[in-house]
Every structure is written in structure tokens, then in C-alpha cells.
Amino acid sequence: MKQVFTRTPSLKDVQTHFCPGCHHGGIHRLVAEALDEFGLRERTIGCASVGCSVFLYGYFDVDVVESPHGRAPAVATGVKRARPDRIVFTYQGDGDLAAIGTSEIIHAANRGEDITVIFVNNTTYGMTGGQMAPTTMPGQKTSTSPLGRSIKNDGAPFKMAELLSNLDGVTFSARVALNNPRNVLQAKKLIKTAFQYQVEGKGFSFIEALAACPTNWGMQPLSANERIGSEMIPYFPLGICKNTHNL
Amino acid sequence: MSEKIFVKGNEAVAMAAIEAGVRCYFGYPITPQSDIPEYLSRELPKTGGTFIQVESEIGAINMVLGASAAGVRAMTSSSGPGISLKQEGISYMAGSELPGVIVDIMRQGPGLGGIDASQADYFQATRGGGHGGYRIIVLAPDSVQEMYDLTMLAFDLSDIYRMPAMVLADSVIGQMKESIVANSRPETPLPVKDWAVRGRAEGADQNVVKSLKLGDGEMEAFHWAMHARYQELADKESRWEEYQTADAEMIVTAFGSTARIARTAIEGARAEGMKVGLLRPITLFPFPKQAYTALSARCKRFLDIELSTGQMIDDVRLSVARDTDVAFYGRPPGAGSLPTPEELLEQIRKIY
Ligand SMILES: Cc1ncc(C[n+]2csc(CCOP(=O)(O)OP(=O)(O)O)c2C)c(N)n1
Ligand code: SF4
């Protein structure tokens, strides 16, 4: 029998702890495929963040260093400056990157650190039980915005892919989603491009991946997936925000 | 190298770091330690190393964490307000068993405080400072020469015991100039950093540097292992200096700049016929308990002097023989609060 689907070597042969319908697993896979297509597994160092993706080391078969909540871009800076010939990526949720870690991400981006940042925007704090995130959408109910996010009280959601693309140090910034096969293919292509920037030593590359968190959205996996297309993409448009070298 | 050079304490720290092979320095300006980043921004790149002026002390300590996890010697420096911000990262480094050197040139506090000499961060330094229950190595220089020598020692001890090490001085020691010999890096046997993240090409297994420990019994075992490591440190690495203790009937104890002033006061006391000696801890963690125990077996009067309302005195009292009288003289930090030798001599006369 011909095998048509295999596990990519940068991912371990284990089951993940993610909830049914969670997109972290899919994003892990696309990142691992990008690493393997460039043959980077042996020289990649992942910087895990604090959130549902904290077990990065359990799923990726690459060296991993755990970072305090929000600090992965600083940790990655230290790793990359210590070992400039390695491929270094961070993998961060929206609470991690766009709330507690705003200082670290903005400054790593502005310095043009030669790293790749994978930013998972699921509009909520997954791990701590669905509190409001900096990306929670206007009107979205969460456990700490029971009446819905109020722009007056909480401000508007951060659009990180656009925000970072304004910085000179950022060479590549794009937003992707995994809600349908076409978007998955596009996500795969853009994640690969982000790593290509680093392989060619061209500076800071950023991927924002829209993701479902059915558990904390209080939805079934299918309807959570649908929400990405019906609510998130209109607010967080997909595509390339910046591609300095047209890679 | 044996010729003498005339440098500031803070410069001596920076020079020693380069001699010790530091590859990365990450820091944020704050008085009274800014000479350290200034020197390293100029000199470290010449040796192929990295200098980054970071957006905050939080960023800086996490860069130290990353560089150290990647297996190179990394350091940061700051003073009170910045050291407070670094505590998160120091706790993670302790939990991840990462080496790394933190230089703390103490200033007054709490809060913004002021920039005069203080020893009121003794507790913050020696009790770990951050969350979770851990200790770090703390070295307390009292001269520019020791700023140099102890910075190099901090790198070695930190690598050997796989825990952060702090050089704890104050603005007097950081800012004053003395002539020193810039000794070559000692040839200390160091463990291979086979735990570092470097990409798997160099090692068969995946390396993970983390503080998350969720396995059954894993965290408890970690704490006991660290406890044993602290004990080993205390047995092997406790350092102190004794001055005129052989015939002493009274012991003055102080660290850092205070010990320098105490030494002059002791010379005055000796001139008046009082048999007074000095016990100066050089390692604050591990605290050189053995020296206190030994001296207090025969000498029952101690005077502890600090630039605070009394912090090290807790460790002194825990270390001396039970029937020892430990008196205290403190000048909490602040402009004009540095005691004079005459002032300390007056205290000695009172107790002797
Ligand atoms: C300093 C600090 N504050 C708070 C927490 C608690 N905490 C753990 S994960 C998390 C939020 C995670 O949300 P996100 O980054 O969006 O990732 P997700 O779980 O959704 O993937 C928080 C607040 C922490 N670990 N450290
Ligand atoms: S809580 Fe949400 S983000 Fe976390 S694993 Fe479950 S679905 Fe995924």
C-alpha cells in the first residue's frame, strides 16, 4: 500500500494534549513542515512561551528553551546572539505576545533580530480558562468580559501583523488561518517564507495565525472553525502585510 | 599580567567579565552602575562578543537566560529598581539550572530611593529575590581588586554549580578608583555544558531547558537536589577574610564598603589597646557560617555593622555559638549616612 501521509520528522510521534478542534496542533505541523523542507531540524532552537503551547518541547523534535510569560522574543534574542548560525523561532499566544510581552516583541522586531515569530491569535487566554485577551474581538464575551469586550473600557483588539509591519526591523509579516484547505495551503507557504527570511539572514519575520479555541469559545469544533471565517477574518484580514525582499 | 592599573570598581567588573570570556552582555542604564554597560559597549564587540542596550531589565535578564541556555557566558548588571525587575528571570534561571552573572551595585530604596551607598538589598540578594524558593550565589567585594577577582569567580561558580551568581557591591565600591592587578582568568576545571540548546546536530538527544516540572515527584526532587547543592556550596565555597582575629576579644563583622571603614576603626581600637578583630564574609550566599562558629567558640562579643537597619545580622545570629552577644550598629542608607571610622570606633568602645 502506498503511504500518502506521513509525520514530518521535526514532530515527535506522540499525541498532543490540545482540545478537539484546537488549531495549535495544525500550526505546529505547518511550522515543523517548513523546518523539514529546509532541512533545519538539526540546527533549530525553539523558544516556547507560556500558554497552551508551553509543551512545545514535547511535540517538536528540536532543542527547546522555555521562556517566562511574554519574554520569548528576549530569550530568542539571547539564543540567536549566542549562536547566530542557528535557526531560532518563538511560538507565542496572544496573551503572551500582545499583552504581557508587548515590550519584548516590539523591541526584538525593531532591532530586526534574525528570528521567526509564530503568533497564535485565538482571541482568548486559552490556558488560564478563556479570559479576555488583547485580541479579543469587540463585543466578544469571555470569562473576564462577561458583557462582551467594550472598546471604551478595554480598547480595540491589537492587529499585531499590521502593527509590527510598521517597524523598519521587520522584513516579513503576514496573517494566516487554518480554517479551510485553501487557507492551510496559503498558511504553509507563508510560514515557509517566514523561515526562508531567517535562512537567508534577512531579519525579523512574523506570522500571525488565526486559531480556534473551541473550549474557551464555548463552541463545537466545527462552529469554532466557522467563526474564524465569519468573524475573525473580516476583522483580522489574511495575507501579507510586509514582504521587504519579495521572497 | 602583573602590572598595576588604576581603575574604577565598575570598570574592574567589566574588564574581569571580558577576561572571563563573557560572550553576551545585556543591560539597561541605571546609576550607579552605568560604567559597566558603557565599558562593555566599547570593549566587548572588539572581542567578538555581543552588547545590547535592552528596552528594560526584564528584557535584559531574559536575554541572559537565552544566551546562557545556548551555552555561552552571559551577564547583566543593574541596581535596586532594575534588580527588582530581573527577579522574574532570575527565578526562571534558577528553576532551569542556568548559570549567568548578575552584578548589583546597590543603591538606596525602597522605590526610587536614591543613589548613595546601601546594603539594604542583602535580603533580596541572599534569599533568592524571586518566587519559588531558591538561592543564588552572592559575592560581596570590598575593593576594586575584589570587584575584578570576584566577577571572574562568579562566572566559574555559576558554571560549576549551574545557578545564577550575583556580585553584590554598593556605589562606594562601584565608583571608587584603586590600583589593581588585572589577573588572568584562573584555569578552573569547568563542566561541559552538554545540556545547552544548540541545535541537535551536535548532540544526539533533544536538549530542553525549562523550569516546568509536572512529573510525579519531579518538583520535590528538584528542590531537594538544589538543597543538597546549596549545602555543597556552603562546604566547599564559603569564603571570608579575618583581620586581627587571632587574639581578638571582640569581633566586628561587616561586608563590602562597611568592612573597609570597620578596618580603620579596628586599627584605632588596637592603638587604644583593645583587642578587636574583623570577620568579613566574602560569600554572602553561601554564608560562611563555619567562620562565625569557630570564632564565637572563644570570642563572645560580636558587633555587626551594616548600611541598613539590620539584615545580615540574622545570618550572624544563626551562625554564632548560642552564648554569644551580637550587638548591632546600622546606618540605613541615605545621603550622609555613611559612618566614619571614628563613629564606628565609638561603637567599639561602648561594647568592648
Ligand atoms: C507572569 C505570569 N502571569 C500570568 C501567568 C498565567 N498565564 C499562563 S498562560 C496565560 C495566558 C495564555 O494565553 P495565550 O498567550 O493567549 O495562549 P493560549 O493559551 O491561548 O495558547 C496566563 C495569563 C503566568 N504564567 N505568568
Ligand atoms: S484551551 Fe483552547 S488553545 Fe488551549 S488547547 Fe484547548 S482549544 Fe487549544
Side-chain angles (χ1 to χ4, degrees), chain B residues 146-280:
Chain B
E146 273 195 355
M147 287 289 257
Y148 187 92
D149 295 340
L150 294 184
T151 298
M152 286 204 288
L153 179 67
F155 278 104
D156 283 348
L157 292 181
S158 181
D159 278 349
I160 294 168
Y161 292 91
R162 279 185 69 182
M163 60 173 89
M166 177 177 277
V167 176
L168 185 74
D170 58 50
S171 49
V172 172
I173 308 289
Q175 294 297 325
M176 76 184 176
K177 271 189 153 185
E178 285 183 314
S179 56
I180 66 162
V181 178
N183 297 312
S184 305
R185 178 176 170 177
E187 281 174 26
T188 314
L190 296 170
V192 179
K193 295 181 175 177
D194 51 7
W195 43 263
V197 293
R198 37 182 51 139
R200 297 194 35 201
E202 288 176 24
D205 293 329
Q206 178 194 34
N207 275 353
V208 178
V209 172
K210 65 179 178 73
S211 59
L212 191 68
K213 294 170 177 62
L214 300 179
D216 203 12
E218 191 187 358
M219 187 55 101
E220 186 180 1
F222 168 80
H223 275 276
W224 284 120
M226 292 312 292
H227 184 77
R229 205 177 298 173
Y230 302 150
Q231 191 54 54
E232 188 189 342
L233 256 175
D235 294 342
K236 292 192 190 156
E237 310 294 350
S238 294
R239 284 169 169 75
W240 67 90
E241 185 200 5
E242 292 184 30
Y243 171 67
Q244 306 252 23
T245 54
D247 63 342
E249 286 169 3
M250 174 185 162
I251 300 292
V252 173
T253 187
F255 70 97
S257 58
T258 319
R260 291 175 72 102
I261 309 168
R263 191 186 302 257
T264 312
I266 286 168
E267 280 158 13
R270 287 266 165 187
E272 291 178 17
M274 291 181 278
K275 290 182 179 166
V276 185
L278 174 73
L279 171 52
R280 175 175 74 91

Side-chain angles (χ1 to χ4, degrees), chain A residues 17-19 22-24 52 122 126-127 212-216:
Chain A
H17 71 288
F18 300 122
C19 309
C22 177
H23 285 186
H24 270 305
C52 283
N122 58 13
M127 182 178 241
C213 175
T215 305
N216 288 306

Side-chain angles (χ1 to χ4, degrees), chain B residues 265 268-269 272 274 340-350:
Chain B
E272 291 178 17
M274 291 181 278
T340 60
E342 295 69 40
E343 189 179 332
L344 298 189
L345 179 54
E346 189 48 41
Q347 294 303 316
I348 292 171
R349 284 195 201 104
K350 261 197 224 165

Side-chain angles (χ1 to χ4, degrees), chain A residues 24 50-53 69 71 92-97 100 120 122 124-128 133, chain B residues 88 92:
Chain A
H24 270 305
V50 179
C52 283
S53 58
H69 196 23
R71 319 294 179 219
Q92 306 172 254
D94 41 25
D96 190 272
L97 182 139
I100 196 167
V120 179
N122 58 13
T124 191
Y125 282 43
M127 182 178 241
T128 41
Chain B
E88 173 194 61
Y92 273 76

Side-chain angles (χ1 to χ4, degrees), chain B residues 273-293:
Chain B
M274 291 181 278
K275 290 182 179 166
V276 185
L278 174 73
L279 171 52
R280 175 175 74 91
I282 296 173
T283 54
L284 298 183
F285 189 87
F287 193 72
K289 196 172 191 307
Q290 48 276 68
Y292 288 86
T293 310

